[in-house]
Amino acid sequence: MMDRDLERPNPDYERIESHLLRRTRQLEILCRAIHQLNLALEIPVVMGSLVASAMELVEAGAGTYGLINQGEMVFNEYRENEKIRPINIVFSRGVGVPGRVMETREHYISNAPNNDPHVLPQMYQEFAFYNIVNMPIFNRRGELIGCLELHNKAERRPFDSNDVTVLQGLAASAAVALENAQILKEREEALEALRKSEELYKTLARNFPNGTVALFDRDLTYTIAEGTELASIGLSKKSLEGKTLWEIFPPKFCEIAEPMYQAALDGKETVSEIFFANRIYLVHTLPVKNESVEVVSGMVMMQNITERKQAEKERQQLISLLENSSDYIALASLDGKIIFLNDAGQRLVGINNIEEAKRTVVFDFLMKEDICDYMERVLPAIIKNGRWEGEYRFRNFQNNEPIIVQKNAFRIADAKTGKPIAIATISRDITERKRAEQEIIKLNEELEKRVIERTAQLEAANKELEAFSYSVSHDLRAPLRSIDGFSQALLERYADKLDEKGKHYLQRVRAGSQRMAELIDDLLTLSRVTRSEMHRTQVDLSALAKSICQELQETQPQRQVEWQIAEGLVAQADARLLRVVMENLLNNAWKFTSKGIRSHIEFGCEIQPDGQMAYFVRDSGAGFDMAYADKLFGAFQRLHNTAEFPGTGIGLATTQRIVHRHGGRVWAIAAVDRGATFYFTL
């Protein structure tokens, strides 16, 4: 079955194989073309080779080239089907496709030239092309020096971005070759002129790249000076020739340069780097000899190497950064060979040195069981998307144990062609973090188990509490009712037989049993508050407060109390439990203002400094000493005498538990005989 599956055609595989073959062929053509361009020493040969290679590269039927001459693009030959014929066509800026390229400095593609406004009708008729691509050619200074134009892609296929990509690489190589040919041509012309004018000066290069070439005599006077770098340091051929070293340059430069000049006059060559005019120059002095091998003058060549030195510095900084990074950083070729691995990476996987790393491939760093996954999932993602990121496993070379890392792999492409050339990987060891995560998961599982056990214990305790509440509710209330009832019967039936002291004792018995019953009721309320299930709804606190205040006023209609209830206060809470809170707080306000002739009780809300809404009940009653505020919310804790203000001391404890169940807090601010304010949040 597997053999039959392998024999069955795979369209994706065939398509990929076809694409790879086409790309391989293009690379072969490109490599051959670059080699031919580098060998070409004359401009026509360079451009002819460029056109021929470009036609082969993108399968074009015809092609030509143009060179900038006095601001115009000039075409001198046209190649079609292995035949070359001379032409003489000149395009000005903005005229035709070449003029358009001169204007925009960008490539131009037209796959429908008969309808293209930039394609001149006479050109379309003369050359009979059905599509066209024109690529600009720039020198190293970014100046447009020419263009490459191709016609008629094979099988009438359109030119596309892939063609542009490969042609850009070819054009860049041609630009270098063209510049070299131009430099060589100019240098040969300069040397020829020099041979005619000065036989002694056979080694002068008129256009020394990024530098200056000069001859000086035994008085250190410059006799000839040339070079592109003169203008950049504020000098010229005219200002230099006929002047001495000390007349032109500052003393610090002269102190370094003069010994080198003298050495040249003594027949010795010297090379040194000198910092001058905020640039770094490579200064090379050498003797100039006549046919008799006598030193007749000296030559100095100064080349601006500032960019090169800066690039070297940046390269060293980058290398230092990579080497000193605590993360694993590696670079591998497309065939998997390790090119670079920093010290942290070597330590992580147990490799001793970079030489050992370079003898390995990417697969050596993976656990054996992960190799297929890397080939099928990770590598295709890097090639297709340009990067891949995720958790992965490396292999320790010493003990073969897995190392868990956070891996970030990305594709590196050639700056000119955009073609992938390597894969870089930056990884961080997260083995300990993953181990800690597993520990946390284990602890959470244990904690969850403990919570379940504790919940079961709490449920058992609640059942016991319910049983206790039932006992209190039924078993304790009956005896108390009997005590109160029989005491009342004694007072009513035997009042004439009891003296005042006996009646007083029975009244105290009744008061004690009634207070005991109140305590039992409050304890049961506190127990139910703790155990009851909450049902949050929108509660109208203003309406609730008004209802309770009305009930209180009806119990003592003769009292003069000024009620102030804020309108529109609502909250998400359990309506039944919140009524208990409001009843406790308003009952306390009613109770502790009972000694005043005219009292004030207010319910409202305030925004706290932390932005939270706090509701409050404020009264003008007896207040309390803030020194004892921490005792307010404890069960059976009272700050006033029972005879003065009756109560069980359970109400505020119940209030606090309800507020806490709502995720809020409750507190109070007061002063003796100046009233109190109780705040709560939900």
Side-chain angles (χ1 to χ4, degrees), residues 51-100:
V51 173
S53 299
M55 290 171 60
E56 183 182 7
L57 192 62
V58 300
E59 299 179 338
T64 183
Y65 69 88
L67 293 174
I68 294 292
N69 185 9
Q70 297 181 351
E72 296 179 319
M73 190 74 74
V74 180
F75 293 79
N76 291 319
E77 68 176 36
Y78 188 82
R79 183 184 295 262
E80 185 175 12
N81 298 327
E82 303 298 328
K83 295 181 180 180
I84 302 174
R85 60 187 173 98
I87 59 175
N88 185 17
I89 303 175
V90 179
F91 290 89
S92 300
R93 183 181 178 87
V95 178
V97 171
R100 177 66 176 174

Side-chain angles (χ1 to χ4, degrees), residues 517-558:
E518 289 178 3
L519 284 171
I520 291 171
D521 289 340
D522 288 345
L523 283 172
L524 288 172
T525 299
L526 182 61
S527 173
R528 285 193 294 270
V529 163
T530 305
R531 293 182 292 107
S532 63
E533 185 177 353
M534 288 180 56
H535 300 281
R536 285 183 182 263
T537 59
Q538 183 168 294
V539 181
D540 188 337
L541 295 178
S542 299
L544 183 60
K546 289 178 182 179
S547 172
I548 296 170
C549 292
Q550 184 177 354
E551 293 173 2
L552 290 171
Q553 190 68 63
E554 290 174 354
T555 61
Q556 292 178 287
Q558 73 280 5

Side-chain angles (χ1 to χ4, degrees), residues 212-284:
T212 298
V213 179
L215 290 179
F216 55 88
D217 60 19
R218 292 193 175 276
D219 295 328
L220 306 187
T221 299
Y222 294 104
T223 57
I224 295 178
E226 298 284 351
T228 58
E229 192 68 15
L230 284 174
S232 65
I233 57 176
L235 297 174
S236 66
K237 174 182 174 68
K238 184 177 179 180
S239 66
L240 203 62
E241 291 179 352
K243 301 289 182 64
T244 66
L245 170 69
W246 287 87
E247 289 176 321
I248 298 297
F249 296 101
K252 190 173 182 180
F253 179 87
C254 295
E255 290 172 359
I256 301 172
E258 183 174 6
M260 299 178 65
Y261 281 38
Q262 292 294 348
L265 295 172
D266 292 338
K268 300 176 183 177
E269 292 188 23
T270 58
V271 179
S272 180
E273 292 181 5
I274 300 179
F275 184 79
F276 172 67
N278 295 321
R279 297 171 176 85
I280 302 173
Y281 287 94
L282 180 66
V283 180
H284 183 193

Side-chain angles (χ1 to χ4, degrees), residues 34 48 75 96 153 163 165 201 232 292 307 451 457 460 491 564 637 641:
I34 293 172
F75 293 79
K153 190 171 180 179
D163 298 325
T165 299
Y201 190 33
S232 65
S292 302
E307 292 184 0
V451 168
Q457 294 173 358
L491 285 170
Q564 185 177 346
Q637 296 292 327
N641 190 289

